[in-house]
Amino acid sequence: MSAVTVVGAGVIGLSVAHELATAGHDVRIVADRDAGASVSAVAAAVWFPHDVEHTAEVLDSAAATYRRLEVLAADPATGVHMRPGTVLSREAEPDTSWTRSVPHTTPAPSRPDGATGLRCTVPLAETSTYLSWLRGRVRALGVRFETAAVTSVAELSRAHHPDALVVAAGLRSGPLLGDGSCFPIRGQVVRLANPGLTEWITDDQNPEGLTYVVPRRSDVVCGGTGEVGSWDERIDPEIEAGILRRVCALVPELSGQPVLSRAVGLRPGRSGVRVGVVPGFERPVFACYGHGGAGFTLSWGDAARIAALIDSPATME
Protein backbone atom coordinates (compact mmCIF):
# COMPACT_ATOMS: atom_id res chain seq x y z
CA MET A 1 0.00 0.00 0.00
CA SER A 2 1.18 3.53 -0.84
CA ALA A 3 -0.11 6.82 0.52
CA VAL A 4 -1.23 8.94 -2.45
CA THR A 5 -2.49 12.52 -2.46
CA VAL A 6 -4.67 13.55 -5.40
CA VAL A 7 -5.04 17.26 -6.15
CA GLY A 8 -8.44 17.91 -7.72
CA ALA A 9 -11.99 16.70 -7.05
CA GLY A 10 -13.56 16.90 -10.51
CA VAL A 11 -14.37 13.87 -12.61
CA ILE A 12 -10.67 13.20 -13.31
CA GLY A 13 -9.53 13.53 -9.69
CA LEU A 14 -12.39 11.37 -8.41
CA SER A 15 -11.79 8.68 -11.05
CA VAL A 16 -8.06 8.59 -10.27
CA ALA A 17 -8.79 8.33 -6.54
CA HIS A 18 -11.28 5.52 -7.19
CA GLU A 19 -8.81 3.43 -9.18
CA LEU A 20 -5.99 3.97 -6.69
CA ALA A 21 -8.19 3.11 -3.69
CA THR A 22 -9.51 0.04 -5.50
CA ALA A 23 -5.89 -1.05 -5.98
CA GLY A 24 -5.35 -0.82 -2.23
CA HIS A 25 -3.68 2.57 -1.86
CA ASP A 26 -4.34 4.97 0.98
CA VAL A 27 -5.75 7.98 -0.87
CA ARG A 28 -6.46 11.57 0.09
CA ILE A 29 -8.09 14.17 -2.20
CA VAL A 30 -7.18 17.82 -1.69
CA ALA A 31 -9.17 20.49 -3.55
CA ASP A 32 -10.53 23.97 -2.98
CA ARG A 33 -13.93 23.02 -4.44
CA ASP A 34 -15.96 19.83 -4.74
CA ALA A 35 -17.15 18.22 -7.95
CA GLY A 36 -20.46 20.06 -7.90
CA ALA A 37 -18.64 23.38 -8.21
CA SER A 38 -16.16 22.21 -10.86
CA VAL A 39 -16.35 22.47 -14.63
CA SER A 40 -17.33 18.78 -14.59
CA ALA A 41 -20.77 19.80 -13.27
CA VAL A 42 -21.36 22.10 -16.25
CA ALA A 43 -20.49 19.50 -18.89
CA ALA A 44 -23.10 17.93 -21.13
CA ALA A 45 -21.16 14.73 -20.35
CA VAL A 46 -21.90 12.85 -23.54
CA TRP A 47 -19.05 10.52 -24.51
CA PHE A 48 -16.90 12.07 -27.26
CA PRO A 49 -13.21 13.06 -27.42
CA HIS A 50 -13.92 16.78 -27.89
CA ASP A 51 -11.28 19.53 -27.78
CA VAL A 52 -8.38 17.05 -27.60
CA GLU A 53 -6.04 15.68 -30.22
CA HIS A 54 -7.07 12.17 -31.26
CA THR A 55 -3.78 10.44 -30.45
CA ALA A 56 -3.52 6.70 -29.96
CA GLU A 57 -3.32 7.20 -26.18
CA VAL A 58 -6.41 9.43 -26.16
CA LEU A 59 -8.44 6.97 -28.23
CA ASP A 60 -7.33 4.05 -26.06
CA SER A 61 -8.43 5.91 -22.92
CA ALA A 62 -11.69 6.86 -24.60
CA ALA A 63 -12.36 3.21 -25.45
CA ALA A 64 -11.57 2.09 -21.91
CA THR A 65 -13.89 4.74 -20.49
CA TYR A 66 -16.64 3.76 -22.92
CA ARG A 67 -16.48 0.17 -21.68
CA ARG A 68 -16.55 1.20 -18.01
CA LEU A 69 -19.45 3.61 -18.47
CA GLU A 70 -21.36 1.00 -20.46
CA VAL A 71 -21.17 -1.30 -17.43
CA LEU A 72 -22.17 1.51 -15.06
CA ALA A 73 -25.21 2.30 -17.22
CA ALA A 74 -26.77 -0.96 -16.00
CA ASP A 75 -27.12 0.64 -12.54
CA PRO A 76 -29.70 3.49 -12.47
CA ALA A 77 -28.04 4.94 -9.36
CA THR A 78 -25.00 6.01 -11.40
CA GLY A 79 -26.89 8.41 -13.63
CA VAL A 80 -25.21 6.93 -16.72
CA HIS A 81 -27.32 6.02 -19.77
CA MET A 82 -26.54 4.58 -23.18
CA ARG A 83 -28.07 6.95 -25.73
CA PRO A 84 -28.15 6.96 -29.55
CA GLY A 85 -27.22 10.11 -31.40
CA THR A 86 -25.53 11.73 -34.37
CA VAL A 87 -22.15 13.38 -34.96
CA LEU A 88 -22.52 15.80 -37.88
CA SER A 89 -19.70 16.88 -40.16
CA ARG A 90 -19.38 19.50 -42.89
CA GLU A 91 -15.99 18.39 -44.26
CA ALA A 92 -15.34 16.33 -47.36
CA GLU A 93 -13.04 14.04 -45.39
CA PRO A 94 -14.00 14.30 -41.69
CA ASP A 95 -11.85 12.93 -38.87
CA THR A 96 -13.46 9.62 -37.96
CA SER A 97 -10.57 8.27 -35.88
CA TRP A 98 -12.80 8.35 -32.80
CA THR A 99 -14.95 5.58 -34.26
CA ARG A 100 -12.28 3.00 -33.33
CA SER A 101 -13.36 3.54 -29.71
CA VAL A 102 -17.06 2.87 -30.44
CA PRO A 103 -18.43 -0.62 -31.09
CA HIS A 104 -20.64 0.33 -34.03
CA THR A 105 -21.46 3.34 -36.23
CA THR A 106 -23.77 3.82 -39.21
CA PRO A 107 -24.17 6.68 -41.71
CA ALA A 108 -26.78 9.25 -40.71
CA PRO A 109 -29.56 10.21 -43.15
CA SER A 110 -28.65 13.12 -45.44
CA ARG A 111 -29.68 16.58 -44.28
CA PRO A 112 -31.08 19.49 -46.32
CA ASP A 113 -28.18 21.73 -45.21
CA GLY A 114 -25.62 19.35 -46.72
CA ALA A 115 -24.18 18.08 -43.45
CA THR A 116 -23.30 14.41 -43.29
CA GLY A 117 -22.94 12.38 -40.14
CA LEU A 118 -22.46 9.15 -38.26
CA ARG A 119 -24.91 7.59 -35.84
CA CYS A 120 -23.76 5.69 -32.77
CA THR A 121 -24.77 4.83 -29.23
CA VAL A 122 -22.56 6.21 -26.48
CA PRO A 123 -22.67 6.76 -22.71
CA LEU A 124 -24.23 9.94 -21.36
CA ALA A 125 -23.97 10.97 -17.71
CA GLU A 126 -26.46 13.05 -15.74
CA THR A 127 -23.70 15.11 -14.15
CA SER A 128 -25.25 15.84 -10.76
CA THR A 129 -26.24 12.20 -10.22
CA TYR A 130 -23.03 10.74 -11.62
CA LEU A 131 -20.65 12.99 -9.70
CA SER A 132 -22.59 12.42 -6.48
CA TRP A 133 -22.50 8.66 -7.04
CA LEU A 134 -18.78 8.71 -7.85
CA ARG A 135 -17.96 10.80 -4.80
CA GLY A 136 -19.96 8.37 -2.65
CA ARG A 137 -18.12 5.39 -4.11
CA VAL A 138 -14.78 7.04 -3.46
CA ARG A 139 -15.73 7.77 0.16
CA ALA A 140 -16.90 4.19 0.60
CA LEU A 141 -13.45 3.03 -0.50
CA GLY A 142 -11.91 4.98 2.36
CA VAL A 143 -10.66 8.01 0.45
CA ARG A 144 -10.36 11.12 2.64
CA PHE A 145 -11.28 14.61 1.45
CA GLU A 146 -9.55 17.82 2.47
CA THR A 147 -10.76 21.26 1.41
CA ALA A 148 -7.78 23.52 0.77
CA ALA A 149 -6.36 25.74 -1.95
CA VAL A 150 -3.16 24.11 -3.21
CA THR A 151 -0.57 26.68 -4.28
CA SER A 152 2.57 24.54 -4.25
CA VAL A 153 3.06 20.87 -5.01
CA ALA A 154 6.33 20.85 -3.08
CA GLU A 155 4.74 22.35 0.03
CA LEU A 156 1.78 19.95 -0.15
CA SER A 157 4.19 17.04 -0.49
CA ARG A 158 6.14 18.18 2.58
CA ALA A 159 2.92 18.65 4.56
CA HIS A 160 1.39 15.27 3.73
CA HIS A 161 4.51 13.14 3.17
CA PRO A 162 2.77 10.97 0.55
CA ASP A 163 4.53 8.21 -1.34
CA ALA A 164 3.14 9.78 -4.51
CA LEU A 165 1.14 12.82 -5.54
CA VAL A 166 -1.20 13.17 -8.54
CA VAL A 167 -2.07 16.58 -9.99
CA ALA A 168 -5.53 16.29 -11.57
CA ALA A 169 -6.84 19.79 -10.99
CA GLY A 170 -7.93 20.85 -14.46
CA LEU A 171 -6.89 24.41 -15.29
CA ARG A 172 -5.11 24.75 -11.94
CA SER A 173 -2.73 21.94 -12.86
CA GLY A 174 -0.52 23.91 -15.22
CA PRO A 175 0.45 26.67 -12.77
CA LEU A 176 1.13 24.06 -10.06
CA LEU A 177 3.61 22.27 -12.31
CA GLY A 178 5.12 25.23 -14.14
CA ASP A 179 3.35 24.21 -17.34
CA GLY A 180 2.56 27.24 -19.46
CA SER A 181 0.84 25.33 -22.25
CA CYS A 182 -2.56 25.22 -20.53
CA PHE A 183 -5.43 27.55 -21.46
CA PRO A 184 -9.17 27.92 -20.81
CA ILE A 185 -11.81 27.01 -23.38
CA ARG A 186 -14.95 28.88 -22.38
CA GLY A 187 -18.14 26.88 -22.76
CA GLN A 188 -21.58 28.41 -22.31
CA VAL A 189 -24.74 26.29 -22.16
CA VAL A 190 -28.45 26.81 -21.65
CA ARG A 191 -30.69 24.05 -20.31
CA LEU A 192 -34.20 23.79 -21.72
CA ALA A 193 -37.21 21.74 -20.69
CA ASN A 194 -37.19 18.39 -22.49
CA PRO A 195 -40.13 18.03 -24.91
CA GLY A 196 -39.53 14.29 -25.11
CA LEU A 197 -36.17 14.09 -26.88
CA THR A 198 -34.04 11.01 -26.32
CA GLU A 199 -31.32 11.37 -29.00
CA TRP A 200 -28.34 13.74 -28.88
CA ILE A 201 -26.76 15.53 -31.83
CA THR A 202 -23.51 17.47 -32.22
CA ASP A 203 -22.60 19.92 -34.98
CA ASP A 204 -19.08 21.13 -34.24
CA GLN A 205 -18.64 22.68 -37.69
CA ASN A 206 -21.89 24.62 -37.83
CA PRO A 207 -21.01 27.85 -39.71
CA GLU A 208 -22.88 29.84 -37.07
CA GLY A 209 -20.90 28.28 -34.21
CA LEU A 210 -20.47 25.12 -32.14
CA THR A 211 -23.89 23.50 -31.68
CA TYR A 212 -25.01 20.51 -29.66
CA VAL A 213 -28.21 19.16 -28.15
CA VAL A 214 -27.94 16.62 -25.34
CA PRO A 215 -31.26 15.50 -23.82
CA ARG A 216 -31.34 14.23 -20.27
CA ARG A 217 -34.29 12.96 -18.23
CA SER A 218 -35.63 16.35 -17.13
CA ASP A 219 -33.84 18.84 -19.38
CA VAL A 220 -31.83 19.32 -22.57
CA VAL A 221 -28.29 20.70 -22.44
CA CYS A 222 -27.91 23.08 -25.38
CA GLY A 223 -24.63 24.60 -26.45
CA GLY A 224 -22.39 26.01 -27.03
CA THR A 225 -19.15 27.87 -27.32
CA GLY A 226 -15.46 27.01 -27.54
CA GLU A 227 -13.77 30.34 -26.81
CA VAL A 228 -10.08 29.58 -26.48
CA GLY A 229 -8.29 31.81 -23.98
CA SER A 230 -11.40 33.36 -22.41
CA TRP A 231 -11.58 33.38 -18.60
CA ASP A 232 -15.02 35.05 -18.53
CA GLU A 233 -17.43 32.97 -16.46
CA ARG A 234 -20.37 35.39 -16.77
CA ILE A 235 -23.51 34.46 -18.70
CA ASP A 236 -23.58 36.39 -21.99
CA PRO A 237 -27.21 36.99 -23.12
CA GLU A 238 -26.21 37.54 -26.75
CA ILE A 239 -24.28 34.28 -26.85
CA GLU A 240 -27.25 32.50 -25.30
CA ALA A 241 -29.57 33.94 -27.94
CA GLY A 242 -27.24 32.62 -30.63
CA ILE A 243 -27.16 29.18 -29.03
CA LEU A 244 -30.95 29.09 -28.92
CA ARG A 245 -31.23 30.06 -32.59
CA ARG A 246 -28.81 27.34 -33.63
CA VAL A 247 -30.24 24.51 -31.55
CA CYS A 248 -33.82 25.32 -32.57
CA ALA A 249 -32.77 25.28 -36.23
CA LEU A 250 -31.05 21.93 -35.65
CA VAL A 251 -33.84 20.43 -33.51
CA PRO A 252 -37.13 22.31 -34.15
CA GLU A 253 -38.87 20.54 -31.26
CA LEU A 254 -36.90 22.81 -28.90
CA SER A 255 -38.63 25.96 -30.15
CA GLY A 256 -40.59 27.61 -27.35
CA GLN A 257 -39.26 25.36 -24.60
CA PRO A 258 -38.67 27.27 -21.33
CA VAL A 259 -35.16 27.92 -20.06
CA LEU A 260 -34.56 25.95 -16.85
CA SER A 261 -30.99 27.06 -16.12
CA ARG A 262 -27.82 28.35 -17.71
CA ALA A 263 -24.12 28.00 -16.97
CA VAL A 264 -20.57 28.74 -18.07
CA GLY A 265 -17.58 26.45 -17.56
CA LEU A 266 -13.90 26.72 -18.46
CA ARG A 267 -12.66 23.54 -20.11
CA PRO A 268 -9.02 22.73 -19.29
CA GLY A 269 -7.32 23.06 -22.65
CA ARG A 270 -3.71 22.16 -23.37
CA SER A 271 -1.47 21.41 -26.34
CA GLY A 272 -2.04 17.74 -25.49
CA VAL A 273 -3.42 15.62 -22.66
CA ARG A 274 -0.72 15.11 -20.03
CA VAL A 275 -0.69 11.76 -18.24
CA GLY A 276 2.62 10.69 -16.78
CA VAL A 277 5.51 11.26 -14.43
CA VAL A 278 6.57 14.85 -13.65
CA PRO A 279 10.32 15.09 -12.93
CA GLY A 280 11.99 17.48 -10.52
CA PHE A 281 10.31 16.67 -7.20
CA GLU A 282 11.61 14.92 -4.07
CA ARG A 283 8.72 12.46 -4.13
CA PRO A 284 7.07 10.95 -7.23
CA VAL A 285 4.59 13.36 -8.84
CA PHE A 286 2.20 12.40 -11.64
CA ALA A 287 0.16 14.57 -14.01
CA CYS A 288 -3.36 13.90 -15.26
CA TYR A 289 -4.82 17.00 -16.90
CA GLY A 290 -5.35 18.90 -20.14
CA HIS A 291 -8.52 17.01 -21.10
CA GLY A 292 -10.25 19.88 -22.92
CA GLY A 293 -13.90 18.93 -23.41
CA ALA A 294 -13.23 15.22 -22.92
CA GLY A 295 -12.94 14.83 -19.15
CA PHE A 296 -15.81 12.34 -18.83
CA THR A 297 -14.74 10.63 -22.06
CA LEU A 298 -11.18 9.95 -20.91
CA SER A 299 -11.69 9.74 -17.13
CA TRP A 300 -11.58 6.00 -16.46
CA GLY A 301 -8.97 5.24 -19.08
CA ASP A 302 -6.57 7.89 -17.83
CA ALA A 303 -7.24 6.97 -14.21
CA ALA A 304 -6.22 3.41 -15.02
CA ARG A 305 -3.04 4.70 -16.67
CA ILE A 306 -2.13 6.67 -13.53
CA ALA A 307 -2.83 3.66 -11.31
CA ALA A 308 -0.60 1.48 -13.50
CA LEU A 309 2.22 4.01 -13.29
CA ILE A 310 2.01 4.23 -9.51
CA ASP A 311 1.94 0.43 -9.23
CA SER A 312 5.07 0.20 -11.41
CA PRO A 313 8.28 -0.15 -9.35
CA ALA A 314 10.23 1.64 -12.08
CA THR A 315 8.24 4.89 -11.74
CA MET A 316 8.15 4.82 -7.93
CA GLU A 317 11.90 4.49 -7.42
Side-chain angles (χ1 to χ4, degrees), residues 2-6 16 20 25-29 144 162-166 286 310 316:
S2 299
V4 185
T5 295
V6 177
V16 168
L20 290 173
H25 298 287
D26 177 22
V27 183
R28 180 201 305 260
I29 290 178
R144 292 160 291 157
D163 297 306
L165 192 147
V166 182
F286 300 84
I310 289 179
M316 290 294 287

Side-chain angles (χ1 to χ4, degrees), residues 9 31 33 41 55 59 74 83 86 93 101 148 150 161 174 195 203 207 213 223 240 249 274 284 293:
R33 62 180 73 180
T55 63
L59 296 177
R83 290 283 180 85
T86 302
E93 297 183 5
S101 303
V150 178
H161 304 290
D203 188 4
V213 173
E240 180 175 301
R274 187 179 189 185

Side-chain angles (χ1 to χ4, degrees), residues 20-149:
L20 290 173
T22 300
H25 298 287
D26 177 22
V27 183
R28 180 201 305 260
I29 290 178
V30 181
D32 64 349
R33 62 180 73 180
D34 64 21
S38 70
V39 67
S40 299
V42 178
V46 61
W47 183 100
F48 194 81
H50 179 65
D51 277 342
V52 290
E53 185 181 357
H54 293 176
T55 63
E57 292 80 7
V58 162
L59 296 177
D60 285 347
S61 283
T65 303
Y66 183 106
R67 293 191 294 269
R68 177 69 72 90
L69 292 174
E70 187 175 32
V71 172
L72 293 178
D75 181 359
T78 66
V80 179
H81 312 277
M82 299 300 295
R83 290 283 180 85
T86 302
V87 177
L88 293 181
S89 175
R90 298 170 187 271
E91 296 179 337
E93 297 183 5
D95 176 11
T96 59
S97 59
W98 59 272
T99 60
R100 65 172 258 195
S101 303
V102 180
H104 184 63
T105 64
T106 57
S110 59
R111 296 178 59 86
D113 60 5
T116 60
L118 291 174
R119 288 183 51 77
C120 55
T121 297
V122 302
L124 181 154
E126 303 265 353
T127 49
S128 58
T129 301
Y130 180 70
L131 291 172
S132 177
W133 171 85
L134 183 54
R135 182 182 174 93
R137 283 291 304 146
V138 167
R139 281 194 178 278
L141 288 167
V143 175
R144 292 160 291 157
F145 287 78
E146 179 180 327
T147 301

Side-chain angles (χ1 to χ4, degrees), residues 261-276:
S261 63
R262 42 181 64 90
V264 171
L266 303 180
R267 305 182 191 112
R270 189 176 180 273
S271 55
V273 179
R274 187 179 189 185
V275 179

Side-chain angles (χ1 to χ4, degrees), residues 161-203:
H161 304 290
D163 297 306
L165 192 147
V166 182
V167 178
L171 274 175
R172 295 171 178 79
S173 302
L176 286 174
L177 296 175
D179 181 357
S181 66
C182 301
F183 52 87
I185 306 173
R186 181 183 182 276
Q188 181 168 327
V189 300
V190 55
R191 304 181 184 104
L192 303 180
N194 192 341
L197 302 177
T198 57
E199 295 202 7
W200 52 268
I201 185 168
T202 65
D203 188 4

